[in-house]
Structure formats: C-alpha cells, structure tokens
Amino acid sequence: DAGVTQSPTHLIKTRGQQVTLRCSPKSGHDTVSWYQQALGQGPQFIFQYYEEEERQRGNFPDRFSGHQFPNYSSELNVNALLLGDSALYLCASSLRTSGRAVHEQYFGPGTRLTVT
Amino acid sequence: AQKVTQAQTEISVVEKEDVTLDCVYETRDTTYYLFWYKQPPSGELVFLIRRNSFDEQNEISGRYSWNFQKSTSSFNFTITASQVVDSAVYFCALSDLYSSASKIIFGSGTRLSIRP
C-alpha cells in the first residue's frame, strides 16, 4: 500500500520563476492538504482540496494556487517566487466521511524548494 | 485564534533517561483534536497520537505516554528510557473537531537529541 508520494524531492529555482509541486495521496484517500515548513519552524497550512475544490485556505498570498485532479492527486503552484518561499513543502492526505473531515492526516516526504 | 506553543526549542539527554516534551495550546473551540508528530532527519512527518478534547485520559504506548490536562491547556509527551532512535524534531498540533476541513495548527517543534 503506497503512502503519500511527492515529486520532485528537491528543486532549485530563481526569484521570479514559477514552480509546480506534485502529490499523490495515500490509496483510498480523497483529500489533500498542503503545508509549508520553513527551516526551524513548524508546518504552516496553505490550503486543502476535496472534490477538486479548494475547501480551506491559510494565510498565504494568491501566488500560491493549487489543483486537484479526478484521481485525487494534487498540484501546488507558486508564481513569482521570492527568496522567502524557500522551504520544505509537505503534502498530507486524508479521507472525508459524509462530508466531514477525518483528521488523521498522512504526510508525504516533502519537496525541498530552494529559491536563489 | 488557535495557537500551539512548544517552549522547549532543544532538549539533549543521555540514552535511557526519561524526557518530557511540553505543549501548551490556545483555542476558543470547545471541541478539538490534539496531535503529536515526529519528524526524523528524512523530513517526513510521522503521526504518533491523536486525542480529542472529550477524552482526558492519559495514554501509554510502549515507551511513549501522553498527559492531557484541559485545565491547563497542556498536552505533554514523555519518552521513557529514551533511545538514540528517538532523536528527531517533535511537533505538537491542534485542529478543529468538527470543521468541514481539517487544517492542523502546528507548534514550532522541539528538537530532541539522545546521546549514547
């Protein structure tokens, strides 16, 4: 049973560029959440996708956008990259039951993004 | 607003010592979940425990135990007879129990080093 997978593992981008990160949820899960973890800090919630819609969003600018596909996989896009966007980006998957969130989230290994 | 505070930034103990990681949380919600996650150097967040606000019973799992005290808004984590493999960053976290989405609020983490 595959867990949550993320690609790529590492990425180096230049300021002003755009980046797309990918996540495949754990088998049987239908909800994907994205978190940003800056060095030495705890993960910060970016947004969550369910039924291909953004359901909840954290305090992140519109430069951060996402998408969920019919197979439940998800992408995180960041435009106009800033140095401060350098971080570990974590994807977490979970399962909703009757529309209510199930709170046990399984995290992937993350994508380490470095902006130079 | 919801907030999780882990005042201990780093802890270092000798193997076989007991160690307690402190966690204090703030929330206006009367129903919520509390979590502990472990993040080894590989970066992946490993789920350790989830506790809902209705259940204040302490829990023990092998060498791990958790003390939930609603009166002091604390959810402390104790490792008994610590081992080198316990070295990691540990995060305490909080989320709504009945929210339509399951945003998790993380503390800043405690880096635990177990010396042989």
Side-chain angles (χ1 to χ4, degrees), chain A:
Chain A
D1 179 22
V4 180
T5 59
Q6 292 186 243
S7 62
T9 307
H10 295 88
L11 204 51
I12 300 175
K13 290 286 189 177
T14 304
R15 271 180 303 176
Q17 286 188 318
Q18 179 263 342
V19 68
T20 297
L21 310 181
R22 295 177 176 81
C23 171
S24 291
K26 180 178 169 64
S27 178
H29 284 184
D30 57 7
T31 302
V32 172
S33 303
W34 286 92
Y35 293 79
Q36 179 197 65
Q37 186 178 13
L39 199 61
Q41 297 183 23
Q44 300 285 319
F45 176 80
I46 303 175
F47 43 53
Q48 183 181 85
Y49 277 84
Y50 170 67
E51 290 186 335
E52 302 179 46
E53 288 188 17
E54 183 182 294
R55 298 292 174 165
Q56 191 172 11
R57 189 179 182 91
N59 189 23
F60 280 80
D62 292 345
R63 298 186 298 108
F64 289 77
S65 64
H67 189 77
Q68 186 179 34
F69 300 93
N71 67 354
Y72 308 121
S73 66
S74 176
E75 288 182 349
L76 164 65
N77 301 292
V78 186
N79 295 323
L81 284 167
L82 304 174
L83 294 179
D85 295 331
S86 294
L88 179 68
Y89 287 85
L90 295 163
C91 168
S93 74
S94 54
L95 175 66
R96 283 187 179 226
T97 304
S98 302
R100 175 179 293 178
V102 174
H103 293 259
E104 193 157 326
Q105 296 193 6
Y106 292 80
F107 284 81
T111 294
R112 173 83 53 193
L113 172 65
T114 302
V115 182
T116 61

Side-chain angles (χ1 to χ4, degrees), chain A residues 4 31 33 35 37 40-45 48 55-58 88 90 94 96 99-109, chain B residues 9 33 35 37 39 41-47 50 89 91 95-109 111:
Chain A
V4 180
T31 302
S33 303
Y35 293 79
Q37 186 178 13
Q41 297 183 23
Q44 300 285 319
F45 176 80
Q48 183 181 85
R55 298 292 174 165
Q56 191 172 11
R57 189 179 182 91
L88 179 68
L90 295 163
S94 54
R96 283 187 179 226
R100 175 179 293 178
V102 174
H103 293 259
E104 193 157 326
Q105 296 193 6
Y106 292 80
F107 284 81
Chain B
T9 306
Y33 277 122
F35 305 82
Y37 283 88
Q39 189 173 44
S42 61
E44 187 167 345
L45 280 170
V46 178
F47 169 83
R50 179 186 68 206
V89 180
F91 292 98
S95 77
D96 288 336
L97 191 66
Y98 293 121
S99 171
S100 59
S102 51
K103 175 176 73 172
I104 298 179
I105 306 297
F106 286 86
S108 56
R111 181 175 299 278

